[in-house]
């Protein structure tokens, strides 16, 4: 019998501004590990690489159609509730046994909350939501071939190792010095008579 399967991963965010990586629609982007295959996760579950390869092939259709939305917090539902949508996955790829993703933070109420949390340095988890059955194999619960991936949601408590998201940086960027305006004013004052002192 199929049941709702929820897997949660930490989403690591580096201390850089979210404005550095932007989607084509101008929204902030984050990227990182969405899932890890062939390991026992924090929920004691095991996903085969073949299972994720199949599901990613299907899910990439949603990505291409810009319908790969997820919610802030995990509902106990098979339905993605549009009034709670916070993000859209814009790209998926493999890095070894890790499913990687680039995620666009949307300007929705939930998306704005997510953006504020990430901008404040709060670690949030990313969690897959799907339907499927489990089979006990030794010390792990193996996810069976009837698994259907629904989406990835952002949550507070992760279960997958190493799944932290980082803001995406495009091109050259520099961190803003919070004292640059003060330094500029001091320089203007010191150089007002036409010569600037050197220190």
């Amino acid at each position: 019998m199929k049941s709702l399967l929820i897997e949660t991963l930490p989403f690591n965010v580096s201390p850089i501004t979210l404005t550095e990586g932007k989607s084509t629609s101008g929204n902030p982007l984050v990227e990182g590990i969405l899932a890890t295959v062939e390991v026992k996760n924090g929920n004691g579950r095991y996903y085969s690489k073949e299972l994720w390869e199949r599901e990613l092939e299907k899910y990439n259709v949603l990505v291409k159609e810009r319908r790969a939305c997820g919610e802030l917090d995990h509902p106990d539902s098979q339905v993605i509730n549009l009034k709670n949508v916070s993000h859209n996955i814009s790209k998926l790829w493999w890095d070894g046994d890790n499913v990687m993703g680039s995620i666009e933070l949307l300007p929705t109420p939930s998306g704005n909350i997510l953006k504020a949390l990430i901008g404040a340095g709060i670690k949030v988890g990313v969690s897959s939501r799907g339907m499927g059955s489990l089979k006990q194999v030794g010390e792990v619960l193996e996810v069976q071939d009837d698994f259907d991936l629904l989406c990835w949601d952002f949550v507070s408590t992760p279960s997958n190792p190493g799944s932290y998201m980082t803001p995406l940086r495009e091109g050259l960027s520099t961190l803003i010095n919070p004292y640059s305006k003060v330094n500029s004013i001091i320089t203007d004052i010191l150089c007002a008579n036409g010569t600037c002192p050197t220190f």
Side-chain angles (χ1 to χ4, degrees):
M1 178 165 124
K2 280 188 171 184
S3 58
L4 185 63
L5 301 178
I6 295 172
E7 302 303 338
T8 310
L9 311 171
F11 206 68
N12 189 21
V13 177
S14 65
I16 58 176
T17 60
L18 282 175
T19 56
E20 292 174 348
K22 297 277 186 175
S23 69
T24 55
S25 39
N27 296 320
L29 293 171
V30 293
E31 68 178 27
I33 300 170
L34 298 178
T36 304
V37 300
E38 308 285 335
V39 296
K40 177 181 173 182
N41 68 19
N43 290 334
R45 297 184 188 139
Y46 172 91
Y47 290 81
S48 71
K49 189 162 189 172
E50 295 78 22
L51 181 71
W52 272 116
E53 286 171 339
R54 181 195 75 204
E55 289 306 303
L56 291 184
E57 186 176 326
K58 293 188 319 189
Y59 200 76
N60 265 318
V61 172
L62 298 178
V63 171
K64 289 175 185 168
E65 295 175 351
R66 288 192 47 79
R67 296 187 312 117
C69 297
E71 297 183 46
L72 182 59
D73 286 325
H74 242 338
D76 293 325
S77 170
Q78 301 175 40
V79 177
I80 299 164
N81 191 332
L82 293 178
K83 70 180 179 181
N84 297 326
V85 165
S86 59
H87 61 279
N88 184 60
I89 296 179
S90 57
K91 183 179 174 186
L92 293 170
W93 69 96
W94 284 98
D95 182 12
D97 285 337
N98 293 321
V99 176
M100 305 295 292
S102 180
I103 301 175
E104 176 184 5
L105 306 182
L106 299 174
T108 62
S110 293
N112 289 335
I113 291 169
L114 178 60
K115 180 181 172 184
L117 291 170
I118 291 172
I122 304 298
K123 280 190 179 182
V124 292
V126 64
S127 178
S128 64
R129 185 171 16 141
M131 295 295 295
S133 60
L134 302 168
K135 178 181 177 184
Q136 186 78 43
V137 179
E139 295 182 9
V140 298
L141 292 169
E142 190 174 283
V143 178
Q144 299 300 292
D145 286 337
D146 63 350
F147 176 74
D148 288 311
L149 175 65
L150 299 171
C151 67
W152 276 279
D153 296 319
F154 276 94
V155 296
S156 61
T157 308
S159 71
N160 193 62
S163 291
Y164 292 98
M165 289 288 160
T166 57
L168 183 62
R169 296 163 39 140
E170 294 178 347
L172 295 175
S173 62
T174 56
L175 292 176
I176 297 171
N177 179 351
Y179 300 106
S180 62
K181 183 72 172 165
V182 172
N183 290 341
S184 175
I185 292 170
I186 291 171
T187 301
D188 288 347
I189 292 169
L190 293 174
C191 299
N193 64 1
T195 60
C196 296
T198 57
F199 298 100

